[in-house]
Amino acid sequence: MKVSPSILSMDFNNVEQETIKINSTDCEFIHLDVMDGKFVPNTTFDDSFIKTLKFNKIFDTHLMIEKPLSALDKYSSISEYVTFHYEAEDHKDILNFLQNRKNTKIGLSIKPNTSIEVLDDLLPYLDLVLVMSVEPGFAGQKFMESSIEKIKYLKLKKDQHNYHYLIEVDGGINEENAKKVKEAGCEVVVAGTYIFKANNYQEQIDKIR
Ligand code: DX5
Ligand code: ZN
């Protein structure tokens, strides 16, 4: 599994030091949680902050904002992968966008209470599917087991149809449930608290990989 540390749990007073520490690990991605205080009850940062970051990792931006389609351009110019929430836009608008978009890597995320089947006709166009294993908004919540079935479903569909999306999971990941999501077919795992609350980031990354 590839690992995507969520900077939501890093020390924002020491961004330079945190950047050095993360860059010295072998994680592949860096997960950037953009929250607008409307789609979720918390506000974090936006594109202007992301532009200042110096991580030498693949940027994996998770938009938890209202009207994400109108904000995608500014994020896809600074981030390799941009993922937005299915619940934040109309299904037809999402399909139309995906069928006509430019050459950017786009992901879709679903909240714990959204059933995975709603994504069926969108799957062929996606570069990433992000299964939320907590209610989006905050770090440090408990992993929800219901995400495992969704990962298995995505893996099955991917194999059946030769789809190209990456299967990613986000929320409450630790070394025990990382094993379960891996077995279910997860390819990229997001972890915030589990990595940043420890001293040795590489050790934590190794344990969940
Ligand atoms: C929650 C965010 C997650 C969060 C993960 O809304 O999308 O990326 O930072 O943090 P942990 O691993 O602590 O659950
Ligand atoms: Zn996230």
Side-chain angles (χ1 to χ4, degrees):
M1 268 193 313
K2 294 186 165 63
V3 179
S4 191
S6 164
I7 66 163
L8 208 54
S9 301
M10 79 173 176
D11 179 1
F12 279 80
N13 296 316
N14 279 307
V15 176
E16 207 174 314
Q17 195 53 35
E18 294 283 40
T19 305
I20 293 168
K21 284 181 78 176
I22 284 292
N23 285 352
S24 73
T25 72
D26 66 3
C27 71
E28 292 83 357
F29 293 78
I30 189 82
H31 187 81
L32 309 168
D33 288 304
V34 176
M35 305 186 193
D36 66 356
K38 293 181 219 148
F39 181 73
V40 287
N42 189 12
T43 308
T44 53
F45 46 79
D46 61 11
D47 57 314
S48 52
F49 176 71
I50 296 176
K51 277 184 200 144
T52 67
L53 297 173
K54 304 219 160 46
F55 295 103
N56 60 10
K57 308 291 179 185
I58 296 170
F59 281 23
D60 163 32
T61 298
H62 177 192
L63 298 179
M64 285 158 275
I65 60 172
E66 285 185 341
K67 304 254 171 285
L69 286 176
S70 55
L72 281 183
D73 276 352
K74 68 179 180 194
Y75 286 101
S76 56
S77 65
I78 54 173
S79 178
E80 278 92 343
Y81 284 85
V82 183
T83 297
F84 64 97
H85 268 269
Y86 175 79
E87 300 86 358
E89 294 281 0
D90 181 74
H91 188 101
K92 275 201 235 80
D93 293 342
I94 298 175
L95 183 60
N96 186 46
F97 164 78
L98 290 172
Q99 288 172 331
N100 297 295
R101 84 195 139 118
K102 288 166 252 147
N103 208 12
T104 51
K105 290 202 160 67
I106 297 289
L108 261 184
S109 181
I110 52 163
K111 299 207 259 185
N113 289 332
T114 304
S115 71
I116 189 71
E117 291 85 4
V118 300
L119 299 183
D120 277 355
D121 65 332
L122 308 172
L123 293 178
Y125 308 101
L126 292 174
D127 300 299
L128 186 148
V129 181
L130 174 58
V131 174
M132 289 308 295
S133 42
V134 296
E135 207 52 59
F138 300 94
Q141 302 179 77
K142 193 176 177 295
F143 175 84
M144 295 163 87
E145 299 282 335
S146 56
S147 58
I148 306 259
E149 283 310 309
K150 292 180 178 177
I151 294 167
K152 285 185 185 160
Y153 182 89
L154 289 170
K155 168 79 173 130
L156 189 75
K157 285 272 176 189
K158 180 172 174 168
D159 291 347
Q160 273 174 353
H161 300 276
N162 244 328
Y163 292 149
H164 68 279
Y165 53 76
L166 288 171
I167 305 171
E168 183 176 48
V169 69
D170 180 9
I173 289 294
N174 57 36
E175 61 190 281
E176 280 93 46
N177 55 41
K179 274 195 210 100
K180 295 191 200 170
V181 300
K182 186 177 179 177
E183 268 169 34
C186 179
E187 294 155 307
V188 185
V189 71
V190 177
T193 312
Y194 185 74
I195 294 174
F196 285 98
K197 293 292 172 261
N199 275 326
N200 188 330
Y201 297 170
Q202 184 63 57
E203 229 171 70
Q204 301 302 94
I205 290 167
D206 290 341
K207 282 192 266 181
I208 55 181
R209 216 190 264 294

